Amino acid sequence: MDTMDTRKEEAQMLLSRYGQEHLLRYYDELDDASRRKLISGIIQLDLQAVEQAWQRWKDSPAQSLAGMELAPLQASSWDEYTEEERERYASAGWSLLEQGKVGAIVVAGGQGSRLGYEGPKGAYDIGLPSGKSLFQLQAERLIHLSEKAGKPIAWYIMTSPENHEQTVRFFEQHHYFGYPREHCTFFVQGAMPAIDEHGKILMSAKDEICLAPSGNGDCFAALKRTGALLDMKRRGLEWLFYYNVDNALVRVADPLFIGAAASHPFPVAAKSVDKLYPEEPVGIFCYRNGLPSVVEYTVIPEEVMYAKDDQGRLLYRQGHISIQLFRLDFIEKAADLNLPYELARKKIRHIDASGALINPSEPNAYKMECFVFDFYPAAGDMTVWKVRREEEFAPVKNREGDDSPDSARLLLLEHHRKWLIAAGVTTERLGDRQVEISPLVSYAGEGLTQDVLRSLGI
């Protein structure tokens, strides 16, 4: 038996064990190159993880909460600290930045298709007067901090197989937005097969498995697989600031947050915002069986969603906004953990049993995702700080309405208007002008001197 026959037999045995024999449906039609491609793709599949995710989903999406004891996870507010305490935290954060102990990772695997944009979401222009993309806003915030710290901040950009080349090309075309190329590391997250409503793996072509990005919970494993984790250790990093690319207001590598996290004994810290209303589509911070956790909004039981405290506020009101700090020794351990996969219903293009291409207009299948907050229980405990939504959270997820480019742009420009007023500019002087302040000029409203204001035309 030649090598190809041996590998085919290996693939057949693997597929029959998990009821996925249909993946070889077109094998006899293929040429040798396509046969090798298909067999290689099948053998690399983690079919056990697929089966486990499907069985968990069939039992019930909310099954993961069954028999679990939930309790609120309280967040501290910066307003609870004195000015002296905040200055001490900020000083500790700046010290770590000056020593080159902090890196930043952006989860940037998403496409802008929901926004009507065909390209990486980070390349999207939300309509600011400057025309800056989300990537450029974030790069300039890092440039500002790096110059002030006297040390470059290593920036790790996690892409997906779908948008990796586009993302790298966008950075190259824009000369990395002025950020040093040697301090930008691109790496690709993993992918898992998409499955239909019967748990069967889909195919995107007769010789190709239909794969989709496996979620942000793959980030630490991907750092290890690609050598980026070794790069972090070589640089001597101690903390990694983690954020999503679609937050137009994110304070990347926030010194105050870094210093506060490093001043506490836990390996994980996160920012939160108060939920606007019980049904808001954000996960909630809580303790689950005594361990820090996040429960996704899709599976929050109603009795938890609407529960109130003795002051009439939502009991579980701390919304997860995916701004986190992880200590590097924790990341090293977490990289080897096997997180559970959840299923998310999506529009997934594939071929049917006859080989015809199906391009759905509505969600038709499931992609498998794991989430970074599922690492929280492994930390034992964590610190959470509540921040002002209007200052730090402007997600760009929908084409219009809430969490859209329009809402994010207005939040950012209104935030800059408040900076100007705090710097002494009167509302009469501002009038109805919308003034954008470059992150190269000010990171968080500081440094708006009279000379700077004149340069802004104010």
Side-chain angles (χ1 to χ4, degrees), residues 184-408:
C184 296
T185 300
F186 300 89
F187 69 104
V188 184
Q189 72 180 107
M192 289 293 286
I195 58 178
D196 68 14
E197 67 274 14
H198 304 295
K200 300 299 182 182
I201 294 173
L202 298 174
M203 301 187 74
S204 55
K206 291 183 177 182
D207 62 352
E208 188 171 66
I209 311 299
C210 187
L211 299 174
S214 54
N216 54 39
D218 182 58
C219 61
F220 298 155
L223 285 172
K224 184 173 182 178
R225 281 196 308 269
T226 60
L229 185 55
L230 283 176
D231 181 75
M232 292 177 181
K233 294 179 70 176
R234 178 183 61 80
R235 292 174 182 268
L237 301 188
E238 293 180 1
W239 288 92
L240 189 65
F241 182 97
Y242 171 110
Y243 69 99
N244 288 359
V245 74
D246 60 6
N247 184 355
L249 277 175
V250 62
R251 292 184 180 177
V252 189
D254 176 7
L256 178 60
F257 182 41
I258 292 166
S263 300
H264 287 72
F266 310 124
V268 178
K271 291 185 177 183
S272 74
V273 295
D274 278 339
K275 291 183 69 174
L276 293 175
Y277 51 91
E279 306 86 359
E280 185 180 7
V282 293
I284 55 167
F285 284 97
C286 64
Y287 285 107
R288 191 163 16 174
N289 288 350
L291 294 173
S293 302
V294 166
V295 175
E296 265 289 69
Y297 68 92
T298 51
V299 297
I300 300 173
E302 284 197 6
E303 64 271 18
V304 172
M305 183 183 295
Y306 295 102
K308 300 286 184 69
D309 64 15
D310 54 11
Q311 297 179 48
R313 301 173 302 179
L314 288 176
L315 187 60
Y316 294 90
R317 61 184 176 275
Q318 299 307 322
H320 183 262
I321 57 174
S322 203
I323 299 175
Q324 295 131 117
L325 275 163
F326 295 97
R327 217 168 54 206
L328 203 68
D329 59 348
F330 178 80
I331 292 175
E332 286 188 83
K333 295 174 184 175
D336 295 322
L337 295 177
N338 292 318
L339 295 183
Y341 287 97
E342 306 293 341
L343 301 188
R345 193 159 175 80
K346 302 286 184 178
K347 291 187 291 186
I348 297 177
R349 188 167 60 176
H350 67 284
I351 60 171
D352 65 13
S354 67
L357 182 65
I358 305 298
N359 199 2
S361 57
E362 298 293 332
N364 64 317
Y366 298 95
K367 63 179 288 190
M368 298 174 56
E369 298 177 308
C370 55
F371 301 104
V372 71
F373 51 67
D374 284 330
F375 288 119
Y376 289 175
D381 209 343
M382 64 185 292
T383 43
V384 177
W385 278 273
K386 182 177 70 174
V387 298
R388 293 187 178 94
R389 178 187 294 256
E390 66 274 14
E391 295 180 356
E392 302 197 38
F393 187 49
V396 182
K397 297 184 181 297
N398 306 314
R399 186 178 298 198
E400 54 188 23
D402 293 338
D403 298 343
S404 67
D406 286 345
S407 67

Side-chain angles (χ1 to χ4, degrees), residues 105-262:
I105 177 173
V106 56
V107 179
Q111 291 289 87
S113 50
R114 283 177 62 183
L115 306 172
Y117 173 70
E118 293 306 318
K121 189 183 281 189
Y124 190 74
D125 168 9
I126 63 172
L128 290 170
S130 65
K132 291 177 181 177
S133 65
L134 292 166
F135 277 138
Q136 183 168 353
L137 292 173
Q138 294 156 19
E140 291 183 353
R141 288 167 191 153
L142 285 169
I143 290 170
H144 186 114
L145 292 180
S146 296
E147 290 180 348
K148 189 171 179 180
K151 199 87 168 182
I153 299 167
W155 193 15
Y156 299 87
I157 300 100
M158 186 172 85
T159 64
S160 65
E162 183 180 18
N163 76 2
H164 180 76
E165 290 184 7
Q166 287 178 297
T167 301
V168 174
R169 189 161 56 247
F170 186 77
F171 271 72
E172 290 172 345
Q173 290 168 347
H174 292 83
H175 308 288
Y176 296 85
F177 318 105
Y179 209 73
R181 168 66 186 91
E182 65 272 21
H183 299 299
C184 296
T185 300
F186 300 89
F187 69 104
V188 184
Q189 72 180 107
M192 289 293 286
I195 58 178
D196 68 14
E197 67 274 14
H198 304 295
K200 300 299 182 182
I201 294 173
L202 298 174
M203 301 187 74
S204 55
K206 291 183 177 182
D207 62 352
E208 188 171 66
I209 311 299
C210 187
L211 299 174
S214 54
N216 54 39
D218 182 58
C219 61
F220 298 155
L223 285 172
K224 184 173 182 178
R225 281 196 308 269
T226 60
L229 185 55
L230 283 176
D231 181 75
M232 292 177 181
K233 294 179 70 176
R234 178 183 61 80
R235 292 174 182 268
L237 301 188
E238 293 180 1
W239 288 92
L240 189 65
F241 182 97
Y242 171 110
Y243 69 99
N244 288 359
V245 74
D246 60 6
N247 184 355
L249 277 175
V250 62
R251 292 184 180 177
V252 189
D254 176 7
L256 178 60
F257 182 41
I258 292 166

